[in-house]
PDB file of all heavy atoms in Angstrom:
ATOM      1  N   MET B1195       0.931 -14.085 -10.898  1.00 90.00           N
ATOM      2  CA  MET B1195       1.278 -12.734 -10.450  1.00 90.00           C
ATOM      3  C   MET B1195       2.231 -12.121 -11.466  1.00 90.00           C
ATOM      4  O   MET B1195       2.120 -10.932 -11.779  1.00 90.00           O
ATOM      5  CB  MET B1195       1.877 -12.752  -9.054  1.00 90.00           C
ATOM      6  CG  MET B1195       0.984 -13.221  -7.947  1.00 90.00           C
ATOM      7  SD  MET B1195      -0.597 -12.306  -7.915  1.00 90.00           S
ATOM      8  CE  MET B1195      -0.068 -10.730  -7.416  1.00 90.00           C
ATOM      9  N   LEU B1199       1.921  -8.571 -13.395  1.00 92.00           N
ATOM     10  CA  LEU B1199       2.872  -7.542 -13.339  1.00 92.00           C
ATOM     11  C   LEU B1199       3.310  -7.096 -14.680  1.00 92.00           C
ATOM     12  O   LEU B1199       3.458  -5.912 -15.010  1.00 92.00           O
ATOM     13  CB  LEU B1199       4.078  -7.970 -12.543  1.00 92.00           C
ATOM     14  CG  LEU B1199       3.952  -8.152 -11.027  1.00 92.00           C
ATOM     15  CD1 LEU B1199       5.088  -8.953 -10.426  1.00 92.00           C
ATOM     16  CD2 LEU B1199       3.844  -6.829 -10.349  1.00 92.00           C
ATOM     17  N   GLY B1202       0.668  -4.976 -16.305  1.00 91.00           N
ATOM     18  CA  GLY B1202       0.724  -3.597 -15.784  1.00 91.00           C
ATOM     19  C   GLY B1202       1.799  -2.754 -16.487  1.00 91.00           C
ATOM     20  O   GLY B1202       1.523  -1.669 -16.924  1.00 91.00           O
ATOM     21  N   VAL B1206       1.170   0.550 -19.111  1.00 88.00           N
ATOM     22  CA  VAL B1206       1.812   1.871 -19.031  1.00 88.00           C
ATOM     23  C   VAL B1206       2.564   2.175 -20.332  1.00 88.00           C
ATOM     24  O   VAL B1206       2.486   3.321 -20.832  1.00 88.00           O
ATOM     25  CB  VAL B1206       2.788   1.923 -17.832  1.00 88.00           C
ATOM     26  CG1 VAL B1206       3.619   3.160 -17.829  1.00 88.00           C
ATOM     27  CG2 VAL B1206       2.031   1.806 -16.527  1.00 88.00           C
ATOM     28  N   LEU B1209       0.276   3.403 -23.242  1.00 83.00           N
ATOM     29  CA  LEU B1209      -0.513   4.608 -23.112  1.00 83.00           C
ATOM     30  C   LEU B1209      -0.072   5.566 -24.136  1.00 83.00           C
ATOM     31  O   LEU B1209       1.165   5.793 -24.333  1.00 83.00           O
ATOM     32  CB  LEU B1209      -0.429   5.214 -21.746  1.00 83.00           C
ATOM     33  CG  LEU B1209      -1.159   4.506 -20.654  1.00 83.00           C
ATOM     34  CD1 LEU B1209      -0.902   5.223 -19.339  1.00 83.00           C
ATOM     35  CD2 LEU B1209      -2.663   4.626 -20.921  1.00 83.00           C
ATOM     36  N   VAL B1215       8.188  10.836 -22.193  1.00 78.00           N
ATOM     37  CA  VAL B1215       7.368  10.706 -20.943  1.00 78.00           C
ATOM     38  C   VAL B1215       6.963   9.260 -20.758  1.00 78.00           C
ATOM     39  O   VAL B1215       7.205   8.626 -19.702  1.00 78.00           O
ATOM     40  CB  VAL B1215       6.142  11.620 -21.007  1.00 78.00           C
ATOM     41  CG1 VAL B1215       5.285  11.318 -19.752  1.00 78.00           C
ATOM     42  CG2 VAL B1215       6.526  13.025 -21.077  1.00 78.00           C
ATOM     43  N   LYS B1218       9.848   6.970 -19.865  1.00 84.00           N
ATOM     44  CA  LYS B1218      10.328   7.103 -18.554  1.00 84.00           C
ATOM     45  C   LYS B1218       9.460   6.416 -17.532  1.00 84.00           C
ATOM     46  O   LYS B1218       9.916   5.687 -16.646  1.00 84.00           O
ATOM     47  CB  LYS B1218      10.521   8.528 -18.157  1.00 84.00           C
ATOM     48  CG  LYS B1218      11.554   8.798 -17.145  1.00 84.00           C
ATOM     49  CD  LYS B1218      11.719  10.258 -16.749  1.00 84.00           C
ATOM     50  CE  LYS B1218      12.376  11.021 -17.832  1.00 84.00           C
ATOM     51  NZ  LYS B1218      12.355  12.464 -17.581  1.00 84.00           N
ATOM     52  N   ARG B1219       8.153   6.665 -17.703  1.00 84.00           N
ATOM     53  CA  ARG B1219       7.198   5.959 -16.814  1.00 84.00           C
ATOM     54  C   ARG B1219       7.328   4.452 -16.880  1.00 84.00           C
ATOM     55  O   ARG B1219       7.444   3.813 -15.863  1.00 84.00           O
ATOM     56  CB  ARG B1219       5.759   6.299 -17.170  1.00 84.00           C
ATOM     57  CG  ARG B1219       5.337   7.757 -16.792  1.00 84.00           C
ATOM     58  CD  ARG B1219       3.938   7.990 -17.311  1.00 84.00           C
ATOM     59  NE  ARG B1219       3.634   9.408 -17.359  1.00 84.00           N
ATOM     60  CZ  ARG B1219       2.841  10.003 -16.441  1.00 84.00           C
ATOM     61  NH1 ARG B1219       2.275   9.358 -15.509  1.00 84.00           N
ATOM     62  NH2 ARG B1219       2.621  11.305 -16.503  1.00 84.00           N
ATOM     63  N   ILE B1223       8.600   1.331 -14.069  1.00 88.00           N
ATOM     64  CA  ILE B1223       7.878   0.064 -13.774  1.00 88.00           C
ATOM     65  C   ILE B1223       8.650  -1.084 -14.194  1.00 88.00           C
ATOM     66  O   ILE B1223       8.812  -2.102 -13.480  1.00 88.00           O
ATOM     67  CB  ILE B1223       6.550   0.039 -14.546  1.00 88.00           C
ATOM     68  CG1 ILE B1223       5.783   1.354 -14.420  1.00 88.00           C
ATOM     69  CG2 ILE B1223       5.705  -1.156 -14.137  1.00 88.00           C
ATOM     70  CD1 ILE B1223       4.981   1.441 -13.114  1.00 88.00           C
ATOM     71  N   LEU B1226      11.427  -2.014 -11.719  1.00 87.00           N
ATOM     72  CA  LEU B1226      11.012  -2.682 -10.542  1.00 87.00           C
ATOM     73  C   LEU B1226      10.425  -4.095 -10.751  1.00 87.00           C
ATOM     74  O   LEU B1226      10.043  -4.786  -9.852  1.00 87.00           O
ATOM     75  CB  LEU B1226       9.889  -1.827  -9.855  1.00 87.00           C
ATOM     76  CG  LEU B1226      10.388  -0.503  -9.277  1.00 87.00           C
ATOM     77  CD1 LEU B1226       9.229   0.380  -8.889  1.00 87.00           C
ATOM     78  CD2 LEU B1226      11.255  -0.816  -8.029  1.00 87.00           C
ATOM     79  N   ASN B1230      10.128  -7.015  -7.944  1.00 86.00           N
ATOM     80  CA  ASN B1230       8.780  -7.424  -7.624  1.00 86.00           C
ATOM     81  C   ASN B1230       8.575  -8.861  -7.794  1.00 86.00           C
ATOM     82  O   ASN B1230       8.004  -9.538  -6.908  1.00 86.00           O
ATOM     83  CB  ASN B1230       7.745  -6.669  -8.505  1.00 86.00           C
ATOM     84  CG  ASN B1230       7.460  -5.254  -7.979  1.00 86.00           C
ATOM     85  OD1 ASN B1230       7.541  -5.086  -6.728  1.00 86.00           O
ATOM     86  ND2 ASN B1230       7.128  -4.359  -8.840  1.00 86.00           N
ATOM     87  N   ILE B1233      10.300 -10.754  -4.950  1.00 86.00           N
ATOM     88  CA  ILE B1233       9.668 -10.637  -3.638  1.00 86.00           C
ATOM     89  C   ILE B1233       8.239 -11.313  -3.588  1.00 86.00           C
ATOM     90  O   ILE B1233       7.902 -11.956  -2.642  1.00 86.00           O
ATOM     91  CB  ILE B1233       9.609  -9.164  -3.204  1.00 86.00           C
ATOM     92  CG1 ILE B1233       9.492  -9.070  -1.664  1.00 86.00           C
ATOM     93  CG2 ILE B1233       8.509  -8.376  -3.865  1.00 86.00           C
ATOM     94  CD1 ILE B1233       9.908  -7.679  -1.112  1.00 86.00           C
ATOM     95  N   VAL B1234       7.540 -11.229  -4.759  1.00 86.00           N
ATOM     96  CA  VAL B1234       6.227 -11.916  -4.821  1.00 86.00           C
ATOM     97  C   VAL B1234       6.529 -13.448  -4.706  1.00 86.00           C
ATOM     98  O   VAL B1234       5.826 -14.148  -3.968  1.00 86.00           O
ATOM     99  CB  VAL B1234       5.501 -11.513  -6.052  1.00 86.00           C
ATOM    100  CG1 VAL B1234       4.328 -12.497  -6.344  1.00 86.00           C
ATOM    101  CG2 VAL B1234       4.998 -10.150  -5.968  1.00 86.00           C
ATOM    102  N   SER B1237       7.339 -14.456  -1.131  1.00 84.00           N
ATOM    103  CA  SER B1237       6.254 -14.485  -0.266  1.00 84.00           C
ATOM    104  C   SER B1237       5.237 -15.582  -0.518  1.00 84.00           C
ATOM    105  O   SER B1237       4.756 -16.195   0.415  1.00 84.00           O
ATOM    106  CB  SER B1237       5.586 -13.090  -0.259  1.00 84.00           C
ATOM    107  OG  SER B1237       5.012 -12.849  -1.492  1.00 84.00           O
ATOM    108  N   TRP B1240       6.658 -18.887   0.767  1.00 79.00           N
ATOM    109  CA  TRP B1240       6.485 -18.988   2.233  1.00 79.00           C
ATOM    110  C   TRP B1240       5.083 -19.269   2.568  1.00 79.00           C
ATOM    111  O   TRP B1240       4.772 -20.113   3.379  1.00 79.00           O
ATOM    112  CB  TRP B1240       6.827 -17.632   2.940  1.00 79.00           C
ATOM    113  CG  TRP B1240       8.349 -17.494   3.139  1.00 79.00           C
ATOM    114  CD1 TRP B1240       9.351 -18.275   2.725  1.00 79.00           C
ATOM    115  CD2 TRP B1240       8.942 -16.454   3.953  1.00 79.00           C
ATOM    116  NE1 TRP B1240      10.514 -17.823   3.065  1.00 79.00           N
ATOM    117  CE2 TRP B1240      10.316 -16.696   3.907  1.00 79.00           C
ATOM    118  CE3 TRP B1240       8.416 -15.418   4.690  1.00 79.00           C
ATOM    119  CZ2 TRP B1240      11.200 -15.892   4.570  1.00 79.00           C
ATOM    120  CZ3 TRP B1240       9.352 -14.587   5.329  1.00 79.00           C
ATOM    121  CH2 TRP B1240      10.716 -14.836   5.283  1.00 79.00           C
ATOM    122  N   TRP B1241       4.196 -18.571   1.920  1.00 79.00           N
ATOM    123  CA  TRP B1241       2.763 -18.655   2.141  1.00 79.00           C
ATOM    124  C   TRP B1241       2.308 -20.135   1.984  1.00 79.00           C
ATOM    125  O   TRP B1241       1.615 -20.692   2.785  1.00 79.00           O
ATOM    126  CB  TRP B1241       2.076 -17.739   1.214  1.00 79.00           C
ATOM    127  CG  TRP B1241       0.588 -17.823   1.164  1.00 79.00           C
ATOM    128  CD1 TRP B1241      -0.314 -17.941   2.188  1.00 79.00           C
ATOM    129  CD2 TRP B1241      -0.282 -17.965   0.008  1.00 79.00           C
ATOM    130  NE1 TRP B1241      -1.596 -17.991   1.765  1.00 79.00           N
ATOM    131  CE2 TRP B1241      -1.599 -18.040   0.403  1.00 79.00           C
ATOM    132  CE3 TRP B1241       0.010 -17.977  -1.395  1.00 79.00           C
ATOM    133  CZ2 TRP B1241      -2.618 -18.153  -0.465  1.00 79.00           C
ATOM    134  CZ3 TRP B1241      -1.062 -18.032  -2.261  1.00 79.00           C
ATOM    135  CH2 TRP B1241      -2.354 -18.158  -1.800  1.00 79.00           C
ATOM    136  N   LEU B1244       4.442 -22.954   4.270  1.00 58.00           N
ATOM    137  CA  LEU B1244       4.217 -22.965   5.713  1.00 58.00           C
ATOM    138  C   LEU B1244       3.029 -23.832   6.043  1.00 58.00           C
ATOM    139  O   LEU B1244       2.907 -24.401   7.143  1.00 58.00           O
ATOM    140  CB  LEU B1244       4.006 -21.580   6.299  1.00 58.00           C
ATOM    141  CG  LEU B1244       5.295 -20.723   6.406  1.00 58.00           C
ATOM    142  CD1 LEU B1244       4.923 -19.374   7.070  1.00 58.00           C
ATOM    143  CD2 LEU B1244       6.318 -21.401   7.168  1.00 58.00           C
TER     144      LEU B1244
ATOM    145  N   LEU C 620       4.914   5.701  -5.007  1.00 88.00           N
ATOM    146  CA  LEU C 620       5.745   5.598  -6.244  1.00 88.00           C
ATOM    147  C   LEU C 620       4.889   5.290  -7.477  1.00 88.00           C
ATOM    148  O   LEU C 620       5.003   5.953  -8.506  1.00 88.00           O
ATOM    149  CB  LEU C 620       6.828   4.469  -5.992  1.00 88.00           C
ATOM    150  CG  LEU C 620       7.819   4.340  -7.137  1.00 88.00           C
ATOM    151  CD1 LEU C 620       8.465   5.653  -7.435  1.00 88.00           C
ATOM    152  CD2 LEU C 620       8.806   3.276  -6.793  1.00 88.00           C
ATOM    153  N   TYR C 621       4.028   4.276  -7.342  1.00 88.00           N
ATOM    154  CA  TYR C 621       3.141   3.971  -8.459  1.00 88.00           C
ATOM    155  C   TYR C 621       2.127   5.021  -8.712  1.00 88.00           C
ATOM    156  O   TYR C 621       1.667   5.216  -9.811  1.00 88.00           O
ATOM    157  CB  TYR C 621       2.552   2.555  -8.293  1.00 88.00           C
ATOM    158  CG  TYR C 621       3.512   1.479  -8.590  1.00 88.00           C
ATOM    159  CD1 TYR C 621       4.371   0.951  -7.622  1.00 88.00           C
ATOM    160  CD2 TYR C 621       3.651   0.969  -9.887  1.00 88.00           C
ATOM    161  CE1 TYR C 621       5.294  -0.050  -7.905  1.00 88.00           C
ATOM    162  CE2 TYR C 621       4.539  -0.093 -10.193  1.00 88.00           C
ATOM    163  CZ  TYR C 621       5.342  -0.515  -9.219  1.00 88.00           C
ATOM    164  OH  TYR C 621       6.211  -1.498  -9.474  1.00 88.00           O
ATOM    165  N   VAL C 624       3.484   7.604 -10.946  1.00 82.00           N
ATOM    166  CA  VAL C 624       3.568   7.080 -12.351  1.00 82.00           C
ATOM    167  C   VAL C 624       2.207   7.264 -13.034  1.00 82.00           C
ATOM    168  O   VAL C 624       2.121   7.694 -14.207  1.00 82.00           O
ATOM    169  CB  VAL C 624       4.032   5.631 -12.410  1.00 82.00           C
ATOM    170  CG1 VAL C 624       3.900   5.067 -13.811  1.00 82.00           C
ATOM    171  CG2 VAL C 624       5.437   5.508 -11.906  1.00 82.00           C
ATOM    172  N   ALA C 626      -0.172   9.267 -12.009  1.00 75.00           N
ATOM    173  CA  ALA C 626      -0.759  10.585 -11.815  1.00 75.00           C
ATOM    174  C   ALA C 626      -0.741  11.367 -13.138  1.00 75.00           C
ATOM    175  O   ALA C 626       0.155  11.244 -13.893  1.00 75.00           O
ATOM    176  CB  ALA C 626       0.033  11.351 -10.761  1.00 75.00           C
ATOM    177  N   LEU C 628      -2.529  10.942 -15.660  1.00 72.00           N
ATOM    178  CA  LEU C 628      -3.029  10.298 -16.837  1.00 72.00           C
ATOM    179  C   LEU C 628      -4.546  10.278 -16.762  1.00 72.00           C
ATOM    180  O   LEU C 628      -5.097  10.187 -15.686  1.00 72.00           O
ATOM    181  CB  LEU C 628      -2.509   8.855 -16.883  1.00 72.00           C
ATOM    182  CG  LEU C 628      -0.967   8.773 -17.016  1.00 72.00           C
ATOM    183  CD1 LEU C 628      -0.535   7.338 -16.849  1.00 72.00           C
ATOM    184  CD2 LEU C 628      -0.563   9.216 -18.412  1.00 72.00           C
ATOM    185  N   VAL C 630      -6.304   7.851 -17.452  1.00 75.00           N
ATOM    186  CA  VAL C 630      -6.746   6.521 -17.136  1.00 75.00           C
ATOM    187  C   VAL C 630      -6.317   6.097 -15.651  1.00 75.00           C
ATOM    188  O   VAL C 630      -6.331   5.000 -15.330  1.00 75.00           O
ATOM    189  CB  VAL C 630      -6.275   5.438 -18.061  1.00 75.00           C
ATOM    190  CG1 VAL C 630      -6.936   5.608 -19.411  1.00 75.00           C
ATOM    191  CG2 VAL C 630      -4.777   5.487 -18.219  1.00 75.00           C
ATOM    192  N   LEU C 638      -1.635  -1.616 -11.522  1.00 89.00           N
ATOM    193  CA  LEU C 638      -0.182  -1.589 -11.215  1.00 89.00           C
ATOM    194  C   LEU C 638       0.066  -1.950  -9.821  1.00 89.00           C
ATOM    195  O   LEU C 638       1.081  -2.765  -9.481  1.00 89.00           O
ATOM    196  CB  LEU C 638       0.337  -0.183 -11.464  1.00 89.00           C
ATOM    197  CG  LEU C 638       0.408   0.304 -12.904  1.00 89.00           C
ATOM    198  CD1 LEU C 638       0.988   1.697 -12.979  1.00 89.00           C
ATOM    199  CD2 LEU C 638       1.290  -0.619 -13.733  1.00 89.00           C
ATOM    200  N   PRO C 641      -0.972  -6.101  -7.707  1.00 90.00           N
ATOM    201  CA  PRO C 641      -0.102  -7.183  -7.780  1.00 90.00           C
ATOM    202  C   PRO C 641       1.217  -6.991  -7.007  1.00 90.00           C
ATOM    203  O   PRO C 641       1.703  -7.886  -6.352  1.00 90.00           O
ATOM    204  CB  PRO C 641       0.222  -7.371  -9.305  1.00 90.00           C
ATOM    205  CG  PRO C 641      -0.895  -6.627  -9.986  1.00 90.00           C
ATOM    206  CD  PRO C 641      -1.306  -5.536  -9.054  1.00 90.00           C
ATOM    207  N   VAL C 642       1.692  -5.698  -7.037  1.00 91.00           N
ATOM    208  CA  VAL C 642       2.915  -5.384  -6.306  1.00 91.00           C
ATOM    209  C   VAL C 642       2.707  -5.534  -4.860  1.00 91.00           C
ATOM    210  O   VAL C 642       3.621  -5.954  -4.064  1.00 91.00           O
ATOM    211  CB  VAL C 642       3.319  -3.960  -6.700  1.00 91.00           C
ATOM    212  CG1 VAL C 642       4.466  -3.485  -5.802  1.00 91.00           C
ATOM    213  CG2 VAL C 642       3.780  -3.879  -8.156  1.00 91.00           C
ATOM    214  N   ALA C 644       0.788  -7.656  -3.347  1.00 90.00           N
ATOM    215  CA  ALA C 644       0.501  -8.961  -2.938  1.00 90.00           C
ATOM    216  C   ALA C 644       1.298  -9.502  -1.750  1.00 90.00           C
ATOM    217  O   ALA C 644       0.744 -10.016  -0.851  1.00 90.00           O
ATOM    218  CB  ALA C 644       0.613  -9.922  -4.150  1.00 90.00           C
ATOM    219  N   PRO C 645       2.624  -9.339  -1.759  1.00 89.00           N
ATOM    220  CA  PRO C 645       3.419  -9.755  -0.637  1.00 89.00           C
ATOM    221  C   PRO C 645       2.961  -9.123   0.710  1.00 89.00           C
ATOM    222  O   PRO C 645       2.980  -9.761   1.732  1.00 89.00           O
ATOM    223  CB  PRO C 645       4.849  -9.351  -0.957  1.00 89.00           C
ATOM    224  CG  PRO C 645       4.870  -9.166  -2.442  1.00 89.00           C
ATOM    225  CD  PRO C 645       3.515  -8.735  -2.837  1.00 89.00           C
ATOM    226  N   ILE C 648      -0.222 -10.879   1.724  1.00 89.00           N
ATOM    227  CA  ILE C 648       0.026 -12.214   2.312  1.00 89.00           C
ATOM    228  C   ILE C 648       0.652 -12.059   3.706  1.00 89.00           C
ATOM    229  O   ILE C 648       0.215 -12.649   4.633  1.00 89.00           O
ATOM    230  CB  ILE C 648       0.996 -12.955   1.345  1.00 89.00           C
ATOM    231  CG1 ILE C 648       0.335 -13.238  -0.010  1.00 89.00           C
ATOM    232  CG2 ILE C 648       1.377 -14.243   1.981  1.00 89.00           C
ATOM    233  CD1 ILE C 648       1.178 -13.900  -0.999  1.00 89.00           C
ATOM    234  N   ARG C 652      -0.995 -13.167   7.238  1.00 88.00           N
ATOM    235  CA  ARG C 652      -0.410 -14.273   8.063  1.00 88.00           C
ATOM    236  C   ARG C 652      -0.045 -13.765   9.459  1.00 88.00           C
ATOM    237  O   ARG C 652      -0.216 -14.447  10.454  1.00 88.00           O
ATOM    238  CB  ARG C 652       0.777 -14.866   7.404  1.00 88.00           C
ATOM    239  CG  ARG C 652       0.640 -15.621   6.084  1.00 88.00           C
ATOM    240  CD  ARG C 652      -0.485 -16.516   6.090  1.00 88.00           C
ATOM    241  NE  ARG C 652      -1.479 -15.939   5.177  1.00 88.00           N
ATOM    242  CZ  ARG C 652      -2.630 -16.429   4.802  1.00 88.00           C
ATOM    243  NH1 ARG C 652      -3.021 -17.591   5.316  1.00 88.00           N
ATOM    244  NH2 ARG C 652      -3.375 -15.830   3.966  1.00 88.00           N
ATOM    245  N   TRP C 668       7.184 -12.690   8.808  1.00 87.00           N
ATOM    246  CA  TRP C 668       6.381 -11.932   7.877  1.00 87.00           C
ATOM    247  C   TRP C 668       6.605 -10.427   8.056  1.00 87.00           C
ATOM    248  O   TRP C 668       6.689  -9.679   7.049  1.00 87.00           O
ATOM    249  CB  TRP C 668       4.934 -12.236   7.978  1.00 87.00           C
ATOM    250  CG  TRP C 668       4.615 -13.629   7.500  1.00 87.00           C
ATOM    251  CD1 TRP C 668       4.254 -14.726   8.272  1.00 87.00           C
ATOM    252  CD2 TRP C 668       4.631 -14.057   6.118  1.00 87.00           C
ATOM    253  NE1 TRP C 668       4.022 -15.782   7.386  1.00 87.00           N
ATOM    254  CE2 TRP C 668       4.263 -15.389   6.109  1.00 87.00           C
ATOM    255  CE3 TRP C 668       4.984 -13.440   4.908  1.00 87.00           C
ATOM    256  CZ2 TRP C 668       4.223 -16.171   4.903  1.00 87.00           C
ATOM    257  CZ3 TRP C 668       4.902 -14.181   3.762  1.00 87.00           C
ATOM    258  CH2 TRP C 668       4.522 -15.502   3.765  1.00 87.00           C
ATOM    259  N   LEU C 671       9.749  -9.676   6.340  1.00 88.00           N
ATOM    260  CA  LEU C 671       9.562  -9.606   4.840  1.00 88.00           C
ATOM    261  C   LEU C 671       8.990  -8.318   4.389  1.00 88.00           C
ATOM    262  O   LEU C 671       9.451  -7.610   3.516  1.00 88.00           O
ATOM    263  CB  LEU C 671       8.728 -10.778   4.362  1.00 88.00           C
ATOM    264  CG  LEU C 671       8.411 -10.802   2.863  1.00 88.00           C
ATOM    265  CD1 LEU C 671       9.597 -11.534   2.163  1.00 88.00           C
ATOM    266  CD2 LEU C 671       7.159 -11.439   2.500  1.00 88.00           C
ATOM    267  N   TYR C 679      11.097  -0.175  -1.371  1.00 90.00           N
ATOM    268  CA  TYR C 679      10.269   0.756  -2.087  1.00 90.00           C
ATOM    269  C   TYR C 679      10.664   2.240  -1.672  1.00 90.00           C
ATOM    270  O   TYR C 679      10.534   3.144  -2.547  1.00 90.00           O
ATOM    271  CB  TYR C 679       8.815   0.472  -1.947  1.00 90.00           C
ATOM    272  CG  TYR C 679       8.381  -0.353  -3.130  1.00 90.00           C
ATOM    273  CD1 TYR C 679       8.346  -1.705  -2.941  1.00 90.00           C
ATOM    274  CD2 TYR C 679       8.141   0.191  -4.363  1.00 90.00           C
ATOM    275  CE1 TYR C 679       8.059  -2.491  -4.066  1.00 90.00           C
ATOM    276  CE2 TYR C 679       7.877  -0.497  -5.412  1.00 90.00           C
ATOM    277  CZ  TYR C 679       7.763  -1.853  -5.243  1.00 90.00           C
ATOM    278  OH  TYR C 679       7.507  -2.670  -6.362  1.00 90.00           O
ATOM    279  N   PRO C 689      13.455  11.904 -11.417  1.00 74.00           N
ATOM    280  CA  PRO C 689      13.173  11.782 -12.877  1.00 74.00           C
ATOM    281  C   PRO C 689      11.702  11.781 -13.221  1.00 74.00           C
ATOM    282  O   PRO C 689      11.324  12.406 -14.244  1.00 74.00           O
ATOM    283  CB  PRO C 689      13.784  10.464 -13.194  1.00 74.00           C
ATOM    284  CG  PRO C 689      14.688  10.087 -12.136  1.00 74.00           C
ATOM    285  CD  PRO C 689      14.320  10.843 -10.894  1.00 74.00           C
ATOM    286  N   GLU C 693       9.417  15.093 -15.723  1.00 59.00           N
ATOM    287  CA  GLU C 693       8.790  14.968 -17.026  1.00 59.00           C
ATOM    288  C   GLU C 693       7.568  15.904 -17.204  1.00 59.00           C
ATOM    289  O   GLU C 693       7.228  16.621 -16.297  1.00 59.00           O
ATOM    290  CB  GLU C 693       8.247  13.545 -17.096  1.00 59.00           C
ATOM    291  CG  GLU C 693       7.135  13.304 -16.214  1.00 59.00           C
ATOM    292  CD  GLU C 693       6.466  11.992 -16.361  1.00 59.00           C
ATOM    293  OE1 GLU C 693       7.217  11.004 -16.606  1.00 59.00           O
ATOM    294  OE2 GLU C 693       5.278  11.905 -16.296  1.00 59.00           O
TER     295      GLU C 693
END
Side-chain angles (χ1 to χ4, degrees):
Chain B
M1195 296 307 293
L1199 289 167
V1206 172
L1209 283 176
V1215 174
K1218 203 181 289 173
R1219 284 176 198 256
I1223 311 280
L1226 289 169
N1230 277 330
I1233 203 161
V1234 166
S1237 62
W1240 277 10
W1241 170 48
L1244 283 186
Chain C
L620 184 56
Y621 281 87
V624 172
L628 295 172
V630 290
L638 290 180
V642 170
I648 295 176
R652 291 320 109 175
W668 289 110
L671 180 84
Y679 269 95
E693 68 174 40

